[in-house]
Amino acid sequence: MKRILKITLAAVVAICLIAVAGVYALSEMRLSRTYDVAVADFTVKTTLPAEEVERRARTLMCGGCHHDAGNVLIDEPGIGRIVAPNLTRFVPMYSDAELVRLIRHGVKKDGTGAFIMPASNFANITDDDMAAIIAWMRSLKQLPDAVAGTTQWGPLGRIGLALDKIPFEADLVPAVVSPAATRPTDIGEYAFRTDCSHCHNLDTAKQSEAFLAPALKPLAQSYSAADFKTLLRTGKGVGGRDLGVMTQVSQWDFSHFTDVEIEQIQTYLAIRP
């Protein structure tokens, strides 16, 4: 009887080890999947003053995730520790054209896919704003990493990768995109497509991996112009409520919208059919 139990236990252990090895192998295959997206020529040319270059770049959400020198986005033992890298150290490793492919397609220098970065939104970034983003990033003084280590996946994260349940933005963006050349004068719809729609729908709440984001149309209709301006400037809801991710992104990025741009955004969100 003891011999049978030992054999059974050994078999169970062997099956578990095989399963763990299989999950690890499949997750590594998913992480190493490459995308056939060509690196297209891109000339970084802007006549904007340095202050406007930085302002435009910051309205397009770089700081909310990356902060000044890297940031931990997710730190859950079962899922993993997801790190947005230090741009001041990371950007010099890329050519301008490779940065455009990364931002617009979510494809890294080695051809693998970036995780979390909203390339499906950034595919809409106009050429002049893309030039501003790259010019601004190239101007940053290199800083030591603000957080130690890089992205590490936990067991649940590995299972999600193995089952292809963890989304990569590179899967959502066509190999060829045709963004407009210049930033529109009225940025209402443009801001929604490049920034807001990654987390929010217009008419219905949107569930992401981390939180439930409210529908924007009723929110924009319910806020006064002053309160909406406070929301985008500080990330604080009515009554000074902390809104988590929205608070961080607003303080790092959306606070750089002008008053006119904020009015345009609210108008578009509130009245769009």
Side-chain angles (χ1 to χ4, degrees), residues 175-235:
V176 178
V177 296
S178 301
T182 57
R183 185 183 183 106
T185 303
D186 184 331
I187 70 157
E189 181 177 5
Y190 177 66
F192 173 73
R193 295 192 181 282
T194 56
D195 291 325
C196 313
S197 62
H198 181 63
C199 293
H200 297 270
N201 293 324
L202 271 172
D203 299 302
T204 60
K206 185 174 182 179
Q207 180 68 60
S208 70
E209 295 80 15
F211 53 83
L212 180 67
L216 287 181
K217 185 172 183 178
L219 184 148
Q221 291 173 338
S222 68
Y223 271 63
S224 68
D227 286 340
F228 192 79
K229 187 179 297 181
T230 298
L231 173 65
L232 263 63
R233 289 264 187 265
T234 68

Side-chain angles (χ1 to χ4, degrees), residues 126-198:
T126 59
D127 285 344
D128 61 340
D129 274 354
M130 182 65 69
I133 290 172
I134 295 174
W136 171 68
M137 290 193 298
R138 295 280 188 218
S139 74
L140 297 175
K141 178 183 178 181
Q142 188 162 332
L143 299 172
D145 291 345
V147 296
T150 57
T151 293
Q152 300 292 328
W153 293 94
L156 293 179
R158 287 280 179 183
I159 292 171
L161 288 165
L163 297 176
D164 210 6
K165 297 297 184 182
I166 291 180
F168 284 73
E169 290 280 313
D171 293 320
L172 306 176
V173 185
V176 178
V177 296
S178 301
T182 57
R183 185 183 183 106
T185 303
D186 184 331
I187 70 157
E189 181 177 5
Y190 177 66
F192 173 73
R193 295 192 181 282
T194 56
D195 291 325
C196 313
S197 62
H198 181 63

Side-chain angles (χ1 to χ4, degrees), residues 42-98:
F42 187 85
T43 301
V44 175
K45 183 179 180 181
T46 179
T47 59
L48 298 171
E51 295 81 4
E52 178 64 6
V53 164
E54 178 178 0
R55 190 194 72 80
R56 287 198 184 193
R58 286 185 174 275
T59 64
L60 292 161
M61 296 201 305
C62 301
C65 287
H66 292 274
H67 290 191
D68 287 328
N71 176 45
V72 177
L73 298 174
I74 298 172
D75 194 359
E76 298 289 342
I79 298 173
R81 184 173 185 265
I82 312 302
V83 177
N86 176 1
L87 291 179
T88 71
R89 185 175 57 79
F90 177 80
V91 166
M93 302 176 187
Y94 278 66
S95 69
D96 291 345
E98 288 169 339

